[in-house]
Each structure stands twice: as structure tokens, then as C-alpha cells.
Amino acid sequence: MQFGNVFHELFEMRGDKGKKSRRGGEEGKHTRRRAKSHIAPEHTLSSPASVEQTKWANLPPELLLDIIQRVEASETSWPARRDVIACASVCKSWREITKGIVKTPEQCGWLTFPVSLKQPGPRDDPIQCFIKRERETSTYLLYLGLSPALCGDVSKLLLAARKVRRATSTHFVVSLVADEFSRASITYVGKLRSNFLGSKFTVYDSQPPQDSAIQTNYQSHRKMNPKKVSPRMTAGSYSVATVSYELNILRTRGPRRMQCIMQSIPMSAVQEGGVAPTPTELATCLPPNCCALQVSKGSKQLANFCSSDPTTDLEQGTKEPVILKNKAPRWHEQLQCWCLNFKGRVTVASVKNFQLVAAAEPCHNVPLAEEEKVILQFGKIGKDIFTMDYRYPLSAFQAFAICLSSFDTKPVCE
């Protein structure tokens, strides 16, 4: 049987299963109308979908491994790479083998599963993306690809963010989908929060850093009763990075100056032979000891998960954070503007354009090639269209959050 026929049959099986689940939901509504104490029989255990799935689950492991390896090697771009996702969606045995075959973006340069958005990018060639701004809804969409003109309607949506203005700050809520930005949803990825002046931004992740030696602050989003918290509810965020813009009180002419302290990435990650923290799963539940915290109904929110300040701990400890700074542009006499070499990825002059490199001291023993390598670049190519290229040690979520800080108004920094 050809691979195309196999996946066609798999998609038909998933579609039949979805129809049956929706039909079961409608029957459940009628059942609840009869009586609240009615218990439905467990007829789904012997459903045809389960029997059909068993045929695929009982394939010999050697044959299954060979099939998934061939699919993973042949489908290297979206939307064709969704066939790899289809393999992981068949059953548990298929999913475990697929997860073992698919490599991280650092190793292969591809984005496959949602957890890839939290993993560091490749060390050599950057992953090229673009951001589309929707002014009407204050939404920012991150797509995988060179540009909308080249990708068209087949662009792969990676992340979405919605801007929420408040009295003293601005929040960007980041999600996996473009129509759900609730922090109680399993699609919640993290957020970006600014200070009153718009000169400092804090990046919050929905899950703790992979490296347990790096401590970060844990924050609660809302007041809640620990007895009523769902085990799948994401109730907090972890501070993983800080983006600061230099104040321009004298209103001197020039580009913005920014600095990023990546609290979740140690400086050793950019040293020779260093490794950046790489999560293997997306956390969609509360920390184990969060429910033990007592919260009164109308008083304070949950206390900080970690009592110590992360920046202080990193400075006193052996693991210093990676610090990124914007690459200094040069003044072009003929064009009468500040210029950077974006290698054709940026075509419109804008104060938002920037390139970030590692700010390493001689004592850090970082190779010169690593210091000059552009880790993240962001720039404008059209009306409400921007490019974003990132590489190791940043992840797609971290790079997207840093770029979102450039969209906020900064009257004291320009």
C-alpha cells in the first residue's frame, strides 16, 4: 500500500471518529434533558473506530519505525509536514515512535510539534518567519515562511498574540491559535507585559524553565479557590526574560537601543560546547505545590512561587544569563539614514527594525564568531508585514515576545 493511501485512510478514520463524537455530544444533550441522574451506557468501548484503530496499533514495530522514518524524511516543509502530525495522532504506539524520530529545531531546523516553539532554533541557518499585524483587532500573527507573497494561503500559523491596553501597562497575550486568548485555555503559551513608560518589558512563560538551576519568579494571574482549580488549568506564568529600551530624554536622533536579559538561558549556552535548555513537553497544568497555597476570596493573589529574585540569584551563582544587545547601525551618507545589513530580508526603513547579538565579556570565553552572529533580526517589508528570523539559543516564543515589544508605543525612547 502506498503512503498516500495510508494517510488517506487515516484521515478518513479520524473524520469518522469526529462525526461520531459530535453525534454522541448531541445525544448527550437530549439525555441530560431527561434526568440529571441518568447514566449513559459505556457503548463507546466497542465502537468501530476503536476496532479500526487496533489494526494500525498492531503493526510490527520494525515496519512502523520504517514507515514513520520515511514520512519524516520526505516531508520537510508545511503543509506537507502535517503527515508527520497525522502519524502521531493515530494511537499511543505511533505517537511514541514519532516523538522519538522527530528531532528538535536545533538538530534539524524544522518545526513540527507545538513544543518546537519552546525549543531553541538551529545553530547555523535561522528559521525565517513573518509577522502580520491586524490593527482592527490588535492581533499579531506569526507565520512560518519568507513572506505572505511567497507563501500565500498555505502559510503555517505558529503563534498569535493580542494586545490588551490597561491603565498602567500593556499586555500581549500569546496563544497557539488566533481565536482563543484566555489564560485558562490549554492554548495559552505566555505573555509580555510592559511598564508604565513602555521602556521595560517582562516575558512570562506558561511553564517553568527546563533548567532547574535557573530560578524564575512565578506569578498568579487571578484569584482562585485551590479546591476548584482544574488540574489542566494554567494559573500562572514564569518570568523568563526582560527587554529594556534605553530612555531618550534629550530626544536625540538615532535608532532605539535595547537590551534583553534571557533569564532562562545561561551564558554557557553560547560558549563553545554549550547547550541551551530544551523542554520536551508542553506543560498544561499547575505546579504540584501551587494548590497548597491558601488564597482568600477577596484579598491577595497567590504568593510568588519562588521567594528569591531570579536576576540576583543568577548574578550570585555560577549561571549568568545570556544578554542580547542590538547591533549598532552605521550612518549612510548618501541615504542620510541609519543602516543595517539584513541580507534582503528587510526592505522598508522603520524605527522598529533591529538585530540582536550576544553581549559577552572577555571573561565569558565566547568565540568571536558567536559574538558577531545575529541571533534575532526583525524588520518591516510592507504595510503591517514584518519579518522575524531567529536562531539558537532563542526559541520561537522568546523571539516572538521580543519582537512584540517593538510594537508598543515608547514616547520616552524615541
Side-chain angles (χ1 to χ4, degrees):
M1 183 182 293
Q2 297 182 355
F3 289 131
N5 297 333
V6 172
F7 289 114
H8 181 69
E9 188 170 349
L10 290 179
F11 280 119
E12 285 184 350
M13 182 183 69
R14 293 176 61 191
D16 294 340
K17 188 175 180 181
K19 293 178 181 178
K20 292 177 182 180
S21 62
R22 288 192 296 269
R23 187 161 54 247
E26 294 176 358
E27 294 175 357
K29 293 180 181 179
H30 296 295
T31 302
R32 286 190 291 271
R33 292 171 187 167
R34 297 171 188 166
K36 294 183 179 179
S37 59
H38 176 74
I39 299 177
E42 296 182 354
H43 60 277
T44 56
L45 295 178
S46 59
S47 61
S50 301
V51 176
E52 184 72 18
Q53 191 178 27
T54 305
K55 180 178 68 174
W56 298 102
N58 291 334
L59 285 177
E62 296 79 6
L63 176 61
L64 182 57
L65 180 64
D66 181 66
I67 291 175
I68 299 179
Q69 283 180 340
R70 289 171 180 264
V71 174
E72 202 275 338
S74 61
E75 310 297 352
T76 59
S77 60
W78 289 90
R81 196 156 178 81
R82 63 184 178 184
D83 292 343
V84 182
I85 306 297
C87 291
S89 305
V90 175
C91 59
K92 185 176 181 181
S93 60
W94 283 58
R95 180 165 56 255
E96 294 301 325
I97 293 179
T98 306
K99 289 170 61 178
I101 293 175
V102 175
K103 299 179 181 179
T104 63
E106 179 185 353
Q107 298 170 328
C108 65
W110 303 331
L111 298 174
T112 307
F113 298 114
V115 71
S116 303
L117 303 174
K118 295 288 187 76
Q119 296 173 339
R123 292 178 179 265
D124 298 326
D125 297 329
I127 294 181
Q128 297 177 325
C129 313
F130 65 90
I131 299 175
K132 183 178 180 181
R133 175 174 58 183
E134 296 182 353
R135 296 177 181 267
E136 296 79 8
T137 58
S138 299
T139 304
Y140 303 84
L141 306 176
L142 175 66
Y143 292 95
L144 179 64
L146 297 175
S147 67
L150 298 176
C151 298
D153 296 334
V154 298
S155 302
K156 171 60 179 175
L157 177 65
L158 300 180
L159 293 169
R162 175 158 294 174
K163 186 176 183 180
V164 181
R165 294 186 181 274
R166 299 190 176 178
T168 58
S169 63
T170 301
H171 290 215
F172 292 86
V173 182
V174 184
S175 173
L176 293 173
V177 295
D179 56 355
E180 178 58 62
F181 294 96
S182 172
R183 297 190 185 110
S185 172
I186 61 174
T187 61
Y188 172 72
V189 177
K191 72 171 184 176
L192 178 74
R193 187 183 67 183
S194 72
N195 62 356
F196 178 73
L197 298 177
S199 60
K200 185 176 181 180
F201 297 80
T202 305
V203 181
Y204 294 96
D205 200 336
S206 61
Q207 62 188 75
Q210 183 70 14
D211 194 342
S212 59
I214 302 177
Q215 297 184 1
T216 56
N217 281 344
Y218 174 80
Q219 267 199 351
S220 168
H221 287 307
R222 54 195 170 276
K223 304 169 186 178
M224 69 190 78
N225 187 343
K227 295 182 180 180
K228 298 181 180 180
V229 174
S230 170
R232 290 183 61 83
M233 181 186 240
T234 304
S237 292
Y238 298 81
S239 173
V240 295
T242 303
V243 184
S244 302
Y245 289 84
E246 184 176 322
L247 299 180
N248 189 7
I249 305 298
L250 300 179
R251 312 290 293 178
T252 57
R253 186 181 180 185
R256 294 174 178 172
R257 297 182 181 179
M258 58 187 300
Q259 183 185 67
C260 304
I261 302 178
M262 309 306 300
Q263 300 163 359
S264 60
I265 305 176
M267 180 60 72
S268 59
V270 295
Q271 295 174 352
E272 188 174 358
V275 178
T278 305
T280 57
E281 297 288 344
L282 279 179
T284 57
C285 60
L286 287 169
N289 53 347
C290 184
C291 292
L293 299 174
Q294 299 297 328
V295 183
S296 60
K297 183 175 182 181
S299 58
K300 300 180 180 179
Q301 293 184 349
L302 289 174
N304 283 344
F305 183 73
C306 297
S307 59
S308 57
D309 181 69
T311 308
T312 305
D313 293 337
L314 286 167
E315 290 176 351
Q316 294 178 354
T318 58
K319 293 201 171 185
E320 299 183 42
V322 167
I323 299 179
L324 306 178
K325 64 178 181 179
N326 62 314
K327 191 174 183 179
R330 61 180 180 85
W331 179 256
H332 199 288
E333 290 293 341
Q334 295 180 349
L335 299 178
Q336 290 294 302
C337 65
W338 297 96
C339 295
L340 281 172
N341 183 13
F342 289 95
K343 298 182 179 180
R345 288 285 289 154
V346 178
T347 57
V348 180
S350 174
V351 71
K352 298 180 176 63
N353 302 346
F354 65 82
Q355 290 180 332
L356 294 183
V357 295
E361 299 293 337
C363 61
H364 293 148
N365 298 322
V366 177
L368 182 61
E370 290 294 328
E371 293 186 33
E372 297 178 351
K373 185 179 295 184
V374 176
I375 297 176
L376 171 64
Q377 74 173 17
F378 171 79
K380 190 173 184 179
I381 60 174
K383 184 178 180 181
D384 297 326
I385 302 295
F386 303 81
T387 59
M388 186 195 86
D389 302 341
Y390 76 97
R391 70 170 80 232
Y392 176 92
L394 291 182
S395 65
F397 164 68
Q398 294 168 341
F400 185 44
I402 294 174
C403 294
L404 287 175
S405 67
S406 184
F407 286 106
D408 195 29
T409 305
K410 304 171 184 62
V412 296
C413 302
E414 300 174 355

